[in-house]
Amino acid sequence: MTAAADWRALGTSVRLVTTDPALLDSCNLLLARHLAEVDATCSRFRQDSELAALDGTDGRPVKVSPLLEEALAVALRAAEATDGAVDPTVGSAMNALGYDRDFQLIQEDGRPVRLTVRPVPGWRLVTLDRTTGTVTVPAGVRLDLGATAKAWAADRAATMLAEAAGCGVLVSLGGDTAVAGRPPHGGWRIRVQDATGPVEEIPARGSSDMVSIRGGGLATSGTTARRWRRGAQELHHIIDPYTGLPAQTPWRTVSVAAATCADANAASTAALVKGAGAERWLTRLALPARLVANDGTVLTTPGWPTSRRGTPTSQQGPASPARPAFEDEAVRPIRGSGGGAPRNGTGRGGGGETPSTATTTRAAA
């Protein structure tokens, strides 16, 4: 028996599943409090958020809360581990494309924007000193944690709730899915898809695959859902820091399983921007992944179980790797060293979920 709750926070869908139905309500209350704290700390769209306050620090070291310090550490680690493919200094580039408010609001504004090739400042310009709990953001650099914050928050929430409740927990934030505690029999069933639609139904278009995980996380990043039009330009939210514009990618969606949801999401996002070399990069990291090309062709890396459309696999995978996806970077001090923008970009992924123990990751959320 499992129980699930669905609602919205952080501008996206929230799904909580517990293996003990009696504990769902108390876990949901704790989750709501946690996400409210994350929003007040990390939101780029709230003028009163702690992250927004960094815009006016003009290169001065400032003390940050432990929660923001942790979120920044995850973002900078992802940037280093992906060779800059996930870069938190894309805030100004996002704003220039019109993504300066909640996604539902930007779709209502069709005014043209001028697209200018301009590299983003680069994550190496940001210094996080975890000894003193301070961060230094140069003048003119605007941070956006959207590529990492939801996945990190899902990891944090799943671990916290499983420890507090003593049962299996699944937390999905816009499809960035983390699990903790003892899983249900057969693992957590997750439907991966690259088309949005009702969470209870297999999508009528696009491809899908049903897999299961027993630990860690699974994330899908894509360019198909979070799209908007400004004038004659159709835009999406995956930004290439070398150009400051939406990345040109051969992939429609990329799904990755990893030891944490944060690692899975960083890898799936980076893969979109790395383009044709993404499959080799993911294989080298031993990350089970599913890549869907713009023409619908599906490629998988070793460890990803295959199945017929929408039917559960007989395997227990993709099994979470025994080590973090980016093991070497996990133990390094997080300190920027200066320098220009890397050649790769950032973005977000996710989606909705299916009933009971199942959840769904789908492109963008």
Side-chain angles (χ1 to χ4, degrees):
M1 292 289 293
T2 61
D6 297 275
W7 44 289
R8 292 189 65 81
L10 306 180
T12 193
S13 61
V14 177
R15 184 170 179 83
L16 169 67
V17 186
T18 62
T19 57
D20 186 340
L23 297 174
L24 177 66
D25 289 344
S26 57
C27 285
N28 206 32
L29 179 60
L30 290 174
L31 178 59
R33 290 175 178 171
H34 172 60
L35 296 185
E37 292 176 355
V38 170
D39 188 51
T41 302
C42 302
S43 175
R44 182 169 63 91
F45 306 128
R46 289 181 52 162
Q47 293 184 351
D48 62 343
S49 75
E50 189 177 2
L51 181 71
L54 296 179
D55 292 344
T57 56
D58 295 326
R60 301 185 306 273
V62 294
K63 186 81 171 177
V64 294
S65 69
L67 192 64
L68 183 56
E69 178 186 340
E70 184 178 334
L72 290 169
V74 169
L76 293 173
R77 173 177 174 260
E80 182 178 11
T82 61
D83 304 316
V86 179
D87 191 314
T89 67
V90 298
S92 294
M94 286 286 198
N95 287 351
L97 295 175
Y99 200 167
D100 55 358
R101 68 204 81 172
D102 185 86
F103 184 69
Q104 292 180 333
L105 297 177
I106 69 169
Q107 296 179 90
E108 301 172 2
D109 186 351
R111 291 175 297 174
V113 293
R114 182 177 181 179
L115 302 184
T116 303
V117 175
R118 181 182 297 112
V120 305
W123 66 274
R124 291 180 177 86
L125 297 179
V126 179
T127 300
L128 176 64
D129 189 334
R130 304 206 71 175
T131 302
T132 60
T134 60
V135 63
T136 304
V137 180
V141 174
R142 179 164 293 179
L143 301 181
D144 175 15
L145 303 184
T148 54
K150 286 188 178 69
W152 158 74
D155 282 326
R156 205 171 189 274
T159 300
M160 174 188 68
L161 295 177
E163 291 177 352
C167 68
V169 172
L170 178 149
V171 175
S172 179
L173 303 179
D176 291 342
T177 303
V179 300
R182 185 175 180 177
H185 179 72
W188 297 100
R189 295 185 300 111
I190 300 178
R191 190 175 71 235
V192 175
Q193 62 189 57
D194 53 281
T196 59
V199 298
E200 300 85 1
E201 303 173 6
I202 296 176
R205 60 184 178 84
S207 60
S208 65
D209 202 3
M210 186 74 80
V211 298
S212 66
I213 61 173
R214 293 183 173 275
L218 180 66
T220 297
S221 297
T223 63
T224 58
R226 281 190 182 265
R227 303 183 74 93
W228 66 98
R229 183 170 291 278
R230 297 300 296 268
Q233 300 285 341
E234 188 173 15
L235 308 170
H236 63 75
H237 68 294
I238 309 292
I239 304 299
D240 181 346
Y242 188 67
T243 65
L245 300 177
Q248 299 295 314
T249 177
W251 311 114
R252 189 161 69 200
T253 62
V254 178
S255 303
V256 176
T260 67
C261 186
D263 278 358
N265 192 49
S268 63
T269 298
L272 285 171
V273 182
K274 288 178 181 292
E279 183 183 5
R280 294 190 301 274
W281 181 71
L282 291 166
T283 299
R284 189 169 67 250
L285 290 173
L287 290 174
R290 178 179 185 267
L291 303 91
V292 182
N294 289 322
D295 65 1
T297 302
V298 177
L299 301 177
T300 58
T301 63
W304 185 273
T306 58
S307 73
R308 291 177 297 177
R309 174 187 171 102
T311 60
T313 71
S314 60
Q315 303 179 43
Q316 297 299 328
S320 297
R323 62 175 179 82
F326 310 119
E327 184 176 34
D328 293 340
E329 291 77 7
V331 296
R332 293 177 184 171
I334 305 294
R335 293 213 183 190
S337 58
R343 295 186 61 87
N344 298 314
T346 186
R348 286 180 280 205
E353 299 78 27
T354 57
S356 186
T357 63
T359 187
T360 302
T361 87
R362 66 191 181 206

